[in-house]
Amino acid sequence: MTLLSAIIIDDEIQATKTLELLIENYYASDVTIVAKATSCMEAIAQINQFEPDIVFLDISMPDGSGFDLFNYFPNPYFEVVFTTAYNQYALPAIKVSAIDYLLKPIDIDELGAAIQKVKTKLKKQEIVAPLGNKSIALPFQEGFVFVNIADIIYCKGDDNYTVFYMQNGEKHIVSKTLKEYERILPSQYFIRIHRSYLIQISYMKKYLKGAGGYVEMSNNDVLPVSRNKKESLLMLMNY
C-alpha cells in the first residue's frame, strides 16, 4: 500500500507539532502529513485540496466543533481519527463512524494502532485480482448497475460525483467521490492524472507534452495531466 496522506486539524499549535513529530519519528513509513489547519473552515479547504486518507481531528475549535466538519462531509471518503483531551465525546465519535479516538497526550502505541486500523480498512477495499470479467456495482437512485472494470476508459470527478466513461460509449454518474474509486479500482490498471481524472492505462492512446501535458484516450477524449501527476505518469511510460 502507498503512503497514507494525512491532515492535522487542531487549533493548538503545540498539539499539532507534537502529533506531527510522533508521526515523523515513528510512523513516517506509513503516513505523510500533507497539510495542517487550525479551524473548521480552513480544514474544509485543505481537505478539498489535498483529499487525504486520514484526518486527525480535534473537537474543540475556535469556529465550532470538530463534529461540524461532518456537515460538509456527511459521508467522508477519508478516515477520521479524533484527537482530544476530553473523553466524553467518544460516543458521538462512534456515531459519525470515526475509526479511532485518541486522548491527549497521545500515546505512541495507540497512535500506531489507529494508523494500522486505517491501513487494514483501506487494504480490504483494494481490488488485487486480475481484471478479467471482474465487475463493480455503481449505485444510482433506483438501485445498482454492474459494469465490467475492464470496460472503464476513465472516471471524471465532479465535486461529490463521479462519471464513468465506458468503452461502449455509455456514461454512468455515481454520487461518490473520485477519491473513493481511486481506492477501489486496482492501481496496477488505473492511475490518477489530475484532480478530476482517473484513467485506465490500457486505454491511453498518446501523451501530449505541456506544463503537465495531456493524454488522449481511446474514445478520443483529451484529458489534462496536472503538474504534480506528470512525473508518475511519465515513469509509468518509462519516459
Side-chain angles (χ1 to χ4, degrees):
M1 179 180 287
T2 56
L3 203 62
L4 300 175
S5 59
I7 291 178
I8 300 175
I9 303 170
D10 199 320
D11 63 323
E12 297 179 17
I13 302 302
Q14 188 55 51
T16 296
K17 288 182 178 179
T18 298
L19 179 55
E20 189 173 16
L21 284 172
L22 287 176
I23 291 173
E24 290 177 350
N25 290 337
Y26 295 93
Y27 303 106
S29 61
D30 299 311
V31 178
T32 181
I33 299 166
V34 295
K36 292 166 281 187
T38 58
S39 69
C40 288
M41 296 311 297
E42 184 184 5
I44 293 164
Q46 298 284 36
I47 290 170
N48 285 328
Q49 179 179 352
F50 292 100
E51 298 183 333
D53 297 304
I54 310 174
V55 169
F56 291 99
L57 180 61
D58 188 20
I59 292 177
S60 179
M61 307 290 284
D63 57 346
S65 163
F67 289 106
D68 293 338
L69 198 68
F70 292 89
N71 295 329
Y72 298 89
F73 302 98
N75 298 298
Y77 55 83
F78 47 86
E79 301 302 326
V80 174
V81 176
F82 277 107
T83 58
T84 178
Y86 307 99
N87 59 13
Q88 66 264 36
Y89 297 109
L91 183 57
I94 292 172
K95 288 183 177 180
V96 294
S97 300
I99 200 164
D100 215 332
Y101 187 94
L102 304 179
L103 286 174
K104 299 176 182 176
I106 294 174
D107 179 82
I108 295 173
D109 293 332
E110 290 181 358
L111 174 61
I115 292 170
Q116 186 57 49
K117 286 181 184 178
V118 176
K119 291 175 63 178
T120 300
K121 183 175 180 179
L122 296 185
K123 189 172 184 178
K124 288 179 180 178
Q125 295 175 353
E126 292 177 351
I127 300 174
V128 294
L131 285 182
N133 293 317
K134 197 169 187 66
S135 62
I136 184 172
L138 303 180
F140 62 101
Q141 190 170 4
E142 290 79 20
F144 297 87
V145 59
F146 290 88
V147 302
N148 193 326
I149 293 176
D151 293 334
I152 301 170
I153 298 177
Y154 70 91
C155 306
K156 179 181 179 181
D158 186 4
D159 291 330
N160 291 322
Y161 292 86
T162 298
V163 183
F164 285 75
Y165 289 76
M166 307 301 297
Q167 189 180 21
N168 62 4
E170 292 182 352
K171 297 179 185 177
H172 300 286
I173 302 176
V174 181
S175 58
K176 289 187 177 182
T177 66
L178 186 63
K179 181 72 172 181
E180 291 182 71
Y181 287 108
E182 183 182 10
R183 290 175 176 172
I184 293 171
L185 293 170
S187 59
Q188 64 265 48
Y189 301 107
F190 289 82
I191 183 172
R192 186 80 171 264
I193 62 166
H194 187 275
R195 176 181 176 82
S196 300
Y197 295 104
L198 176 69
I199 68 170
Q200 184 159 183
I201 301 162
S202 60
Y203 287 112
M204 185 174 64
K205 285 170 54 177
K206 64 176 70 170
Y207 170 75
L208 308 170
K209 292 182 179 180
Y214 298 86
V215 293
E216 183 177 341
M217 304 304 292
S218 62
N219 62 350
N220 298 320
D221 286 354
V222 177
L223 312 177
V225 179
S226 62
R227 291 174 182 267
N228 63 330
K229 301 292 184 182
K230 179 179 179 179
E231 183 177 352
S232 57
L233 179 63
L234 293 180
M235 287 178 61
L236 183 68
M237 296 187 298
N238 294 317
Y239 184 79

